[in-house]
Amino acid sequence: METWRQLRFGLAALVGVLVAGTAGYVAFGFSLLDAVYQTVTTVSTVGFREVQPLSTGGRIFTIVLILVGVGTALYTFTLVLEAVVKGQIQELLGRKRMERQIARMADHVIVCGFGRVGRNLAHYVVVVENDPDRATAAEASAHVVRGDATSDEVLKEAGIERARVLVTALTTDADNLFVTLTARSLRADLFIVARARVEGSEAKLGQAGADRVVNPQGIGGARMAAFVLQPHVAEFLDVVMHDGSLEFRLEEVRVPSGSPLAGRSLRDAQIRDSTGALILALRDSGGEFTTNPLPETVLEAGQILIAIGTEAQLKALAAAARP
């Protein structure tokens, strides 16, 4: 952006010199075309003779125009050459195109920070990153906003007014706390997921407005313990959630208002028979889970169904839940 500002300044200065030179020669009695011609040949140092004889004042004006105009032209040309050599013009045009694409996005996910956590989410999101190297790396797989994620303007540029989720995964808990506070002040209904490095920060992030707080170190420790105590269960969950080598998947399906499933029991809905998917748990609008629900359990609008099945079975379940 600094190079772009310098280029704009250089081009504006060059145009200003050409306009001033033309106006000056017109004042010395040149026609408009002759004045433009005399100005361009003088600034470009082509060396053609004067269109008409110059008075002493005209010669002094020409000397000043040469000094100012040639210097301005060389400065602007140097900036253009530097930008072309470094590929910055292409980068700037790409940035403008990306900004237009972000401005059209809605219901997207914003990830603040392109570290180890952010890299796993980047292909779904708009990344906010202040580090130039990380921002460049992120642009290979995501839309990127370069800037400080704690800034209101940067979050607005990332489309926080239209986003569905914000994930803050910056280096320090203090930064994540500040981003959480900033994002919550901008969007009261935004779903915010915050990363915590130390256990003591989890409660503070929740108080600041985070809907979910994730401690990767704690999750990593629990996962290692699961591999020790229940290795087959842990490996099965890993395969189902991440590996892709098994056909079965775990998915969540919302029961919207007006859904044919709302108001019917699991037995009456015959989800297993009609879709092949198996309901493992239900989560109500208050956040409470009902695991291994009984056949008599009545489904309600706003509930989340946690189901397991093949891709086709889960798509059939989602279709059955739609109004």
Side-chain angles (χ1 to χ4, degrees), residues 239-257:
V239 170
V240 170
M241 292 297 296
H242 309 294
D243 192 310
S245 59
L246 283 184
E247 188 180 6
F248 285 92
R249 287 285 172 272
L250 280 168
E251 291 283 352
E252 58 180 63
V253 176
R254 178 178 293 276
V255 180
S257 178

Side-chain angles (χ1 to χ4, degrees), residues 237-307:
L237 291 176
D238 266 358
V239 170
V240 170
M241 292 297 296
H242 309 294
D243 192 310
S245 59
L246 283 184
E247 188 180 6
F248 285 92
R249 287 285 172 272
L250 280 168
E251 291 283 352
E252 58 180 63
V253 176
R254 178 178 293 276
V255 180
S257 178
S259 170
L261 300 180
R264 302 175 65 186
S265 67
L266 287 173
R267 176 182 285 113
D268 293 339
Q270 297 182 333
I271 292 175
R272 176 67 173 168
D273 295 334
S274 60
T275 68
L278 178 64
I279 305 300
L280 300 180
L282 304 174
R283 190 175 198 184
D284 60 30
S285 56
E288 295 294 325
F289 280 102
T290 302
T291 58
N292 192 22
L294 297 173
E296 294 78 16
T297 303
V298 177
L299 301 176
E300 300 176 359
Q303 282 183 325
I304 303 295
L305 310 180
I306 310 298

